[in-house]
Amino acid sequence: MTTHPVSPNTVLANALLHAEDVLTPRILATPPERIMLVVGTQINGAPHIGTSLVQSLAFAMAARLRDRFSIPTEVLFSALDNAPYELATDPATGHRYQRAYAQALGDQSLTDLVAVLYQPLFTVLSRRLGIPHRVETYSQQQASAHFRRTWLRLLPRLDAARWWLAPSTGTPHLRIPCPQPGCGWAEKHAERTRVQLIDREAAHVEALCLHHGPYRAAVTPAGGAYLDLATLYRNMVKELALSNPHGTLHVMVKGGDWVFGSHLVDEALQAVGLTRAQLPARLFCPQVVTDTGAKLSKSLIREGRVPLPAGATDWMLDTRRWPGTVAEYAEQLLCMTDTLLSDPRHFFRSYSAAEVGRMMTAPAFRSVPAP
């Protein structure tokens, strides 16, 4: 059996008997018909251990909530295919541009990418715990009438929230990729992008392309331009769209590094009129850190800006390199999630890459058998 870590007490851990107790007030206030745990990941390469940890905890927490409250639960994986694929600078103006994975690879390639990199683990976790799941790309999300209509209805009130979404500039980034065939470039920081609301069901956007100059696009609930929103802006619209739950409690499952950013999103949502009770519930999972306390970053390590931390191995940066099958990898993850969920002190904290490696390679023995 995996040796449990020695974890310090904290104010939050001291107030709980179980990690899932942090969600109890929201569940009891308005008992939902079902619970949806929403976990998002940027699709910008192979997942690392931090990504797998959050995903496995989403499934494990869903099972605990189902068993404790007798409420159907499921997991929604949001594949963020609007992550930057390539960046460029206009030599004439100095403005930065980006082309996202969605525009660079196309729908079929992205579907294949998710199927190869993420679906096998989800399938095993889903079957092992009896938790249904589904996958939705950001491209699919932004194309839905509900998401686009939510964005359109937010526009008249955006001025109240813009300094929460972009505290340094007051300009939340809206990127509309160039519609020319085979292009898809958009100004990264949207300095020269202008939005005009035509009516409740339509907006016009003016922007500049790196290669094709000025262009104009329309956004309506039924279609129009691709709606690429910067991270905080995107989360605000997504969570605003979920604020009328129709019997579903949505729980945003995020890594611990999101604690500070979510404060800004919550303030932005309240600035446009939501009450605290309407905000989605949140669950912040343990963060995997280096020996300096910084989040384990595969990009910084691959760029040579920081070394691979002591005790970490290559499979932690690219989980495809795990020395075993996907089923074995999932089993080790579930053993570790059992440990982290066995005591709030173990859950509401961070772990060094070395400690995660120790727990992941210990003999597998699940203390709580899956149903």
Side-chain angles (χ1 to χ4, degrees):
M1 186 174 180
T2 303
T3 302
H4 279 47
V6 177
S7 300
N9 201 2
T10 64
V11 172
L12 178 58
N14 196 47
L16 309 175
L17 293 178
H18 309 284
E20 63 269 24
D21 290 343
V22 75
L23 299 173
T24 299
R26 294 298 298 271
I27 295 173
L28 296 182
T30 306
E33 296 174 6
R34 66 171 182 156
I35 301 173
M36 173 80 73
L37 288 93
V38 184
V39 56
T41 300
Q42 281 197 338
I43 306 302
N44 58 353
H48 65 34
I49 182 59
T51 300
S52 292
L53 177 59
V54 173
Q55 292 166 350
S56 61
L57 281 167
F59 279 93
M61 181 59 75
R64 291 172 75 95
L65 293 173
R66 174 201 60 197
D67 296 344
R68 176 169 174 179
F69 295 100
S70 299
I71 297 174
T73 60
E74 59 182 291
V75 171
L76 171 62
F77 174 62
S78 183
L80 302 176
D81 56 0
N82 64 329
Y85 181 82
E86 51 188 332
L87 301 171
T89 301
D90 183 350
T93 65
H95 286 276
R96 295 280 283 165
Y97 286 82
Q98 75 174 48
R99 192 156 71 130
Y101 273 73
Q103 283 70 49
L105 300 185
D107 292 341
Q108 188 57 54
S109 294
L110 284 167
T111 298
D112 295 342
L113 188 66
V114 173
V116 170
L117 296 181
Y118 297 93
Q119 192 60 64
L121 178 61
F122 293 159
T123 299
V124 174
L125 292 172
S126 182
R127 291 174 178 172
R128 190 77 175 81
L129 296 173
I131 298 295
H133 78 283
R134 61 186 178 92
V135 177
E136 179 184 63
T137 65
Y138 175 73
S139 291
Q140 294 169 330
Q141 185 182 68
Q142 66 82 35
S144 72
H146 183 55
F147 185 92
R148 297 166 82 83
R149 186 171 281 114
T150 299
W151 177 75
L152 287 166
R153 292 179 178 174
L154 170 66
L155 282 180
R157 295 178 287 168
L158 187 60
D159 192 60
R162 64 190 183 96
W163 286 104
W164 291 112
L165 299 176
S168 297
T169 65
T171 304
H173 298 163
L174 162 67
R175 291 181 286 264
I176 301 294
C178 176
Q180 291 291 332
C183 186
W185 285 89
E187 198 172 39
K188 181 172 179 60
H189 300 297
E191 298 99 331
R192 298 172 294 178
T193 299
R194 300 292 178 264
V195 183
Q196 181 182 7
L197 186 65
I198 303 303
D199 55 44
R200 286 173 57 87
E201 296 285 291
H204 286 169
V205 181
E206 295 180 353
L208 282 87
C209 174
L210 175 64
H211 301 295
H212 300 102
Y215 60 94
R216 193 177 188 187
V219 178
T220 69
Y226 188 99
L227 196 59
D228 184 6
L229 307 176
T231 303
L232 295 180
Y233 196 1
R234 178 188 70 237
N235 275 263
M236 181 190 185
V237 176
K238 177 184 72 175
E239 296 178 10
L240 187 60
L242 300 177
S243 63
N244 187 14
H246 300 294
T248 300
L249 173 65
H250 293 88
V251 180
M252 305 294 113
V253 182
K254 297 179 178 294
D257 56 314
W258 255 98
V259 170
F260 309 108
S262 291
H263 167 71
L264 294 175
V265 176
D266 285 347
E267 293 289 352
L269 288 169
Q270 291 178 89
V272 299
L274 266 66
T275 65
R276 289 292 303 177
Q278 291 174 304
L279 301 179
R282 303 190 190 281
L283 183 70
F284 298 106
C285 297
Q287 190 174 352
V288 183
V289 300
T290 67
D291 50 0
T292 69
K295 182 177 74 170
L296 181 69
S297 170
K298 63 182 179 183
S299 58
L300 290 181
I301 294 172
R302 288 171 179 170
E303 291 168 6
R305 297 171 63 183
V306 296
L308 187 70
T313 55
D314 288 343
W315 68 262
M316 292 185 178
L317 302 183
D318 183 345
T319 59
R320 294 173 299 180
R321 297 185 179 183
W322 170 263
T325 65
V326 174
E328 292 168 344
Y329 180 59
E331 191 64 26
Q332 292 296 145
L333 282 170
L334 290 177
C335 287
M336 182 164 62
T337 61
D338 276 350
T339 298
L340 302 186
L341 289 168
S342 66
D343 190 312
R345 297 186 186 194
H346 300 333
F347 188 85
F348 297 104
R349 53 161 289 187
S350 297
Y351 287 87
S352 69
E355 180 69 359
V356 169
R358 182 191 69 79
M359 290 190 287
M360 280 290 292
T361 55
F365 180 84
R366 293 208 66 212
S367 58
V368 181

